[in-house]
Amino acid sequence: MLKVGLTGGIGAGKSEVSRLLVEHGAVLIDADRIAREVVAPGTPGLAAVVDAFGKDVLAPDGSLDRPRLGSIVFADPEKLAVLNSIVHPLVGARSRELEDAASEEAVVVHDVPLLAENGLGPLYDLVIVVDASPETQLDRLVRLRGMTEEDARARMAAQAPREKRLEIADIVIDNEVPREDLERRVRDVWADLVRRAHQPQE
């Protein structure tokens, strides 16, 4: 099994790269999706979030109002740290369960937005960083996701600087290129990952 950490700044296009890797055969463990699962209605995770932030973070149907919670925590590093202390251990435990269920020959890609911020690089055999300039990130968040520029900048500021992500990268995928170039690059990276996965372990 080859354990790969995949990360990138918000708006860099990491989700598109993870989709392409899955098409090639990767087993994807998506930390963001798991983070939503562990705070679904009726879970201990959601109860802990409500205890910490109050019932105002609940939508009328009892689910977590993620935009409202986001507007609270992304403007306050201390509150963000509280949320992370609740969610991250739950995500870690579920990720390990999914990894344990994968085959020995699998290339397991962990899609982890905050990999650099939380110093998680050593957990993986190698780290892939999907890279785009801050200007491109901002444009995509405002134009494609409908965020205000202020909200987009706050989300970007809550993440590690681009330089810190690139420092921990074993492989960098530039996502400021035409689609066909991105697909070609991911195809080459996949071939490298498969080769590594089948190398004898030292």
Side-chain angles (χ1 to χ4, degrees):
M1 180 185 294
L2 186 73
K3 294 186 281 188
V4 179
L6 176 70
T7 195
I10 186 170
K14 174 175 54 60
S15 296
E16 184 59 31
V17 171
S18 71
R19 273 196 295 273
L20 291 170
L21 288 169
V22 168
E23 286 179 10
H24 286 295
V27 174
L28 180 66
I29 298 179
D30 184 337
D32 260 357
R33 188 167 68 230
I34 296 170
R36 289 190 289 274
E37 291 174 3
V38 299
V39 291
T43 60
L46 181 58
V49 170
V50 172
D51 282 346
F53 296 97
K55 292 186 176 178
D56 285 348
V57 298
L58 290 177
D61 65 358
S63 66
L64 185 62
D65 186 335
R66 296 178 69 83
R68 182 171 179 79
L69 180 61
S71 68
I72 294 169
V73 300
F74 286 113
D76 187 328
E78 289 186 3
K79 289 180 179 176
L80 181 59
V82 170
L83 178 63
N84 288 343
S85 72
I86 296 169
V87 174
H88 286 173
L90 297 172
V91 172
R94 179 62 179 145
S95 296
R96 285 189 293 275
E97 287 178 8
L98 293 171
E99 186 179 280
D100 289 344
S103 77
E104 277 301 309
E105 295 78 34
V107 175
V108 179
V109 175
H110 290 261
D111 182 333
V112 185
L114 300 180
L115 191 153
E117 291 80 352
N118 294 320
L120 302 177
L123 295 179
Y124 308 105
D125 297 314
L126 58 88
V127 172
I128 298 174
V129 172
V130 181
D131 184 51
S133 69
E135 295 77 17
T136 297
Q137 291 177 255
L138 183 63
D139 173 67
R140 288 172 177 167
L141 294 175
V142 173
R143 186 168 49 85
L144 302 178
R145 297 200 198 177
M147 290 186 186
T148 64
E149 184 172 332
E150 182 182 19
D151 191 22
R153 289 187 184 279
R155 301 254 176 160
M156 290 169 62
Q159 294 189 326
R162 182 186 191 185
E163 295 73 22
K164 183 175 180 182
R165 278 192 298 275
L166 292 175
E167 280 175 10
I168 65 167
D170 297 295
I171 297 172
V172 177
I173 295 178
D174 176 7
N175 198 12
E176 291 194 75
V177 296
R179 170 77 186 200
E180 57 269 26
D181 291 346
L182 178 65
E183 291 178 351
R184 188 180 307 113
R185 172 66 172 143
V186 172
R187 189 163 59 245
D188 291 345
V189 167
W190 175 252
D192 182 35
L193 297 179
V194 170
R195 192 163 51 246
R196 291 173 188 250
H198 292 94
Q199 283 176 346
Q201 298 298 311
E202 296 180 1

